[in-house]
Amino acid sequence: MPTAPAALRRFAALTAVLAVAFTVGCSRSPEPLQALPGPTIVRGFVPDLVGMRYDEADAALQTQLLVPILRFAPELITNAGTVVALEPVAGSRAETGDVVVVVVAGKPPVAGGEGTPGARAIAELARLDQESIVGVGADRDGTLVIAFAPTISVESWQARVAALVRGEKFRLQPCRYSGGELRGLQAQLTEQNFLPRAKEMAVGVNVDPVSCSVQLTGDFTTAEVAQLQARYGDALTVLPSRAGRS
């Protein structure tokens, strides 16, 4: 049987070994957490989208029910197609329907898709200047309708539009509301809090450049239509899916 001093010496040696092992184990840095791809979306704040592709930034803001307005900067040729600035800046408080100007390096993409050459040219122009142009639509007879924000003098655009449409019929529509304001209202209505039973309804919400308003389609009663029109005025056009319901 070991003497007391020998036992104490062995206990002290074992304690020292354990202390060294514990110190070495604690000195190792933890593995870094991998960042999730894409922006961090926090409702109520503008996300940091600088450096992203403009289409991804556009989708991220719409997911957050914010209104992206693209502003292309052709003079910036480096990293074309990516976001270089936001107005308001990332981290700013933002409510549903608020406008966020997305400044994008380079020229806007060339318009494709269906439609006449004039319609495609005007659609490209609308993407280039979303702050001036509310949208592009058409009358029942096929006349192109280019709707403009209230701060814009439509007469100053007459020659430019005529050169783009190349003989096609068109008219310039001055609006009482900007595209950002109408798309902001569209985002608010998308949450379906505008009536007590709204979340139970199948509704359609879109910006209509021809009427310069947001069109809301659904199975509304006559009283509900009157209530909505009184609340939103001429910024909203209510289209009941079944007329005359009371």
Side-chain angles (χ1 to χ4, degrees), residues 128-143:
L128 175 63
D129 195 347
Q130 295 184 351
E131 292 171 288
S132 299
I133 301 177
V134 172
V136 180
D139 289 329
R140 291 185 177 181
D141 64 357
T143 300

Side-chain angles (χ1 to χ4, degrees), residues 53-55 58 69-76 79-85 101-110 123-131:
R53 291 286 306 172
Y54 74 90
D55 50 347
D58 185 271
I69 297 293
L70 301 181
R71 181 189 295 167
F72 288 90
E75 69 277 8
L76 301 178
N79 298 324
T82 61
V83 178
V84 295
V101 176
V102 181
V103 183
V104 183
K107 298 179 180 180
V110 176
E124 182 176 358
L125 179 63
R127 278 194 296 272
L128 175 63
D129 195 347
Q130 295 184 351
E131 292 171 288

Side-chain angles (χ1 to χ4, degrees), residues 55 58-59 83 118-119 121 152 189 194 198 212:
D55 50 347
D58 185 271
V83 178
I152 302 302
L189 294 172
F194 49 84
C212 291

Side-chain angles (χ1 to χ4, degrees), residues 118-119 122-127 133-138 144-147 207-210:
I122 294 300
E124 182 176 358
L125 179 63
R127 278 194 296 272
I133 301 177
V134 172
V136 180
L144 288 174
V145 179
I146 303 94
V207 174
D208 176 38
V210 178

Side-chain angles (χ1 to χ4, degrees), residues 99-208:
V99 170
V100 178
V101 176
V102 181
V103 183
V104 183
K107 298 179 180 180
V110 176
E114 301 177 354
T116 64
R120 292 197 298 270
I122 294 300
E124 182 176 358
L125 179 63
R127 278 194 296 272
L128 175 63
D129 195 347
Q130 295 184 351
E131 292 171 288
S132 299
I133 301 177
V134 172
V136 180
D139 289 329
R140 291 185 177 181
D141 64 357
T143 300
L144 288 174
V145 179
I146 303 94
F148 288 87
T151 56
I152 302 302
S153 170
V154 296
E155 290 79 8
S156 64
W157 283 76
Q158 186 77 28
R160 184 177 180 183
V161 172
L164 287 172
V165 300
R166 299 179 182 179
E168 294 183 36
K169 292 174 60 178
F170 73 92
R171 66 180 179 88
L172 306 183
Q173 170 83 15
C175 291
R176 184 175 177 181
Y177 305 97
S178 69
E181 289 172 322
L182 292 179
R183 290 171 63 190
L185 176 57
Q186 179 187 24
Q188 293 173 23
L189 294 172
T190 300
E191 291 194 305
Q192 293 187 233
N193 294 322
F194 49 84
L195 288 172
R197 68 183 189 96
K199 290 188 181 295
E200 305 169 4
M201 303 172 62
V203 299
V205 187
N206 67 282
V207 174
D208 176 38

